[in-house]
Amino acid sequence: MRYENIIFDMDGLLIDSMMHWIHQDDAFFAPRGIPLTPDMIRYFTGKSLKENMTWAKEKFGLKETVEELVQERVDQTDAIYTTLAQPLSGVTALLSTLHAGGGRQAIASGSPLNRIQNIVDRFAWNTFFEQLISVDHVDHKGKPAPDVYLYTAKKLGVDPASCVVFEDAENGVLAAKAAGMACIAVPDPRWSYGDFSAADLSVTSLDDSAVYEFLGYRV
């Protein structure tokens, strides 16, 4: 069997943005006297900025409005997408192979749509992806809710059960499985806190031949 419908998370999966995010998270919380913990990183990953700043405001009693907090985070992190983030190992080779094999590919991310588009434009990935989907499309409802993945399948016009999702975060794996999709986890020990046992396959890099074998491609 060859999987034809492939959906990719973006941050920490296609691009090395997560360490930059963790640095900026620390820069945001430390002046407020709030230590950044692994549990916070685990909670934030895959969710929208609106969800995360709503949680932070309620949890820590921040004085700013949610809208002000979101804008502060946007301003702090914009350079991640315009200049800092780079493709992770194996990404371009995998995208090229799947595209050449007739696979349909999409991105489904907790990042805003303009940031997804910026990354796709920067690395000339436009020809690889049929759909670029953000939590913007599902009322900022991020992972582990399955909404962004179900919406992506709908936009592709395919059965969710025919899709394989690539994820680096526990929230993303849970979202993919809740959507009824297969999931390949690519956790990074630097930021991928949590339980990845629900994934159908777990690898340390997109270079791993097991990825191609799972998708039905000869290696």
Side-chain angles (χ1 to χ4, degrees), residues 86-167:
Q86 297 296 321
L88 283 162
S89 179
V91 169
T92 302
L94 179 60
L95 296 178
S96 300
T97 298
L98 296 178
H99 181 68
R104 305 179 67 191
Q105 300 180 86
I107 291 176
S109 172
S111 285
L113 183 60
N114 67 318
R115 290 182 163 182
I116 301 172
Q117 188 66 63
N118 190 288
I119 289 296
V120 169
D121 290 343
R122 278 183 63 202
F123 302 123
W125 289 344
N126 289 282
T127 57
F128 295 142
F129 295 109
E130 289 191 28
Q131 296 290 334
L132 303 179
I133 305 300
S134 163
V135 291
D136 295 352
H137 292 106
V138 292
D139 195 28
H140 306 282
K141 190 173 184 180
K143 307 161 190 176
D147 301 50
V148 71
Y149 283 129
L150 292 173
Y151 184 81
T152 303
K154 181 179 179 181
K155 294 296 289 184
L156 288 171
V158 300
D159 183 348
S162 72
C163 299
V164 176
V165 169
F166 281 82
E167 269 288 352

Side-chain angles (χ1 to χ4, degrees), residues 129-217:
F129 295 109
E130 289 191 28
Q131 296 290 334
L132 303 179
I133 305 300
S134 163
V135 291
D136 295 352
H137 292 106
V138 292
D139 195 28
H140 306 282
K141 190 173 184 180
K143 307 161 190 176
D147 301 50
V148 71
Y149 283 129
L150 292 173
Y151 184 81
T152 303
K154 181 179 179 181
K155 294 296 289 184
L156 288 171
V158 300
D159 183 348
S162 72
C163 299
V164 176
V165 169
F166 281 82
E167 269 288 352
D168 68 295
E170 179 188 34
N171 282 340
V173 172
L174 295 175
K177 298 310 294 181
M181 300 177 178
C183 184
I184 298 176
V186 194
D188 187 307
R190 296 176 297 172
W191 67 74
S192 298
Y193 302 107
D195 180 4
F196 291 84
S197 61
D200 298 274
L201 174 68
S202 186
V203 295
T204 58
S205 168
L206 292 177
D207 290 315
D208 196 315
S209 62
V211 170
Y212 292 84
E213 292 169 1
F214 185 93
L215 297 175
Y217 285 76

